Amino acid sequence: MKRIFTYFAVAMMTVMAVPALAQDVDESFVFMDDDGNIIENGTTVVRNVVEPYDDVSEVIYSGIWVMNMAGSTSDYIKVHYVIDRIDNGTYQICFPTTCNSQTEAGTYETGMGQLMADLQNIQSEWFPQADGECDVTLTIEILTKQGLFPPTYNHKAWGPTIKVRFIKGDAPGPEPIVGDVNGDQEVNIADVNAVIDMILKGVNEPAGDVNKDEEVNIADVNAVIDIILGAH
């Protein structure tokens, strides 16, 4: 009983901490999919529709856009991207007007500029040469411009971060991690927050059912905390 009470107290403190964590991400500019749905910070999206690109190439499009929700029209933005895995082929990203192509894992960034409209396509895609996978993490950075000759650009805030997983063929994705409720391949306090959010909203998603009892409740919060503390 004491243990359950302790976990419940930790969970309640976590709920109170959610707004503070959320303030670390500026949502003036957000990621959006082709259907106009906002892609929430920390989300992993999977793309596995392979299309012909030309007579010899194939492509998998990310279908990712950037939307100006409340940002100043004088703000400048760039997208930082980390290629965590690229089995073959070329990953290309074009934003705002500059295109970069990469064939190796690493940390990169796009060009910088203002949105040409409230909504702009990032034009992010993988050109696979064989079956495999390409995993890319995208993060928006917001900057301000000072001066003209020469101008300087100062960091203002970090926007949302999402992961795009491109898959061609039968290449297996990473094994599911027990307790990874938000799908970021880690088990940490963010997953506790995610379960509590499901409980408060009355959502019964499989990802939140950490203990596999077909119900999302405080027991799943306890289960995630057990994993974080190493009590497997």
Side-chain angles (χ1 to χ4, degrees):
M1 183 68 182
K2 179 180 179 181
R3 176 184 172 200
I4 293 176
F5 176 79
T6 301
Y7 283 177
F8 187 78
V10 172
M12 289 303 99
M13 287 189 290
T14 305
V15 172
M16 291 186 288
V18 171
L21 292 173
Q23 291 174 3
D24 294 336
V25 176
D26 186 313
E27 296 188 342
S28 299
F29 299 87
V30 300
F31 292 109
M32 187 171 286
D33 64 21
D34 279 336
D35 296 323
N37 302 307
I38 293 175
I39 304 173
E40 299 293 341
N41 180 59
T43 299
T44 297
V45 297
V46 177
R47 300 290 186 253
N48 56 10
V49 178
V50 182
E51 302 180 29
Y53 184 74
D54 52 32
D55 291 339
V56 295
S57 302
E58 295 179 318
V59 64
I60 302 177
Y61 294 103
S62 69
I64 304 296
W65 301 68
V66 169
M67 177 70 181
N68 185 347
M69 300 295 288
S72 166
T73 55
S74 62
D75 283 333
Y76 282 72
I77 59 175
K78 67 168 63 173
V79 176
H80 295 255
Y81 61 105
V82 178
I83 301 177
D84 302 297
R85 170 180 177 178
I86 181 165
D87 291 341
N88 59 73
T90 301
Y91 172 75
Q92 176 176 274
I93 183 168
C94 301
F95 186 84
T97 57
T98 303
C99 292
N100 299 319
S101 296
Q102 314 293 347
T103 58
E104 298 181 354
T107 300
Y108 309 94
E109 60 184 53
T110 67
M112 176 173 55
Q114 295 168 295
L115 287 187
M116 293 182 289
D118 290 340
L119 183 68
Q120 182 172 328
N121 191 348
I122 294 183
Q123 294 181 6
S124 162
E125 56 259 333
W126 178 42
F127 296 89
Q129 295 175 347
D131 288 358
E133 186 172 322
C134 177
D135 298 337
V136 184
T137 301
L138 307 174
T139 302
I140 296 172
E141 182 183 11
I142 307 169
L143 306 100
T144 57
K145 178 181 177 181
Q146 291 184 339
L148 294 175
F149 304 106
T152 59
Y153 299 91
N154 300 317
H155 171 81
K156 179 179 179 181
W158 291 108
T161 294
I162 64 171
K163 176 176 283 189
V164 184
R165 178 168 296 141
F166 301 90
I167 299 174
K168 179 178 186 289
D170 297 324
E175 289 293 325
I177 300 174
V178 178
D180 178 22
V181 180
N182 62 4
D184 65 357
Q185 300 299 305
E186 296 181 10
V187 181
N188 52 34
I189 197 67
D191 297 294
V192 177
N193 290 343
V195 177
I196 293 172
D197 188 52
M198 290 182 188
I199 295 171
L200 295 177
K201 293 180 178 178
V203 176
N204 195 39
E205 294 182 0
D209 182 19
V210 180
N211 64 1
K212 305 303 178 185
D213 65 354
E214 299 185 357
E215 186 176 358
V216 177
N217 52 32
I218 193 66
D220 296 297
V221 176
N222 292 346
V224 176
I225 295 173
D226 267 345
I227 295 170
I228 294 172
L229 296 178
H232 299 286

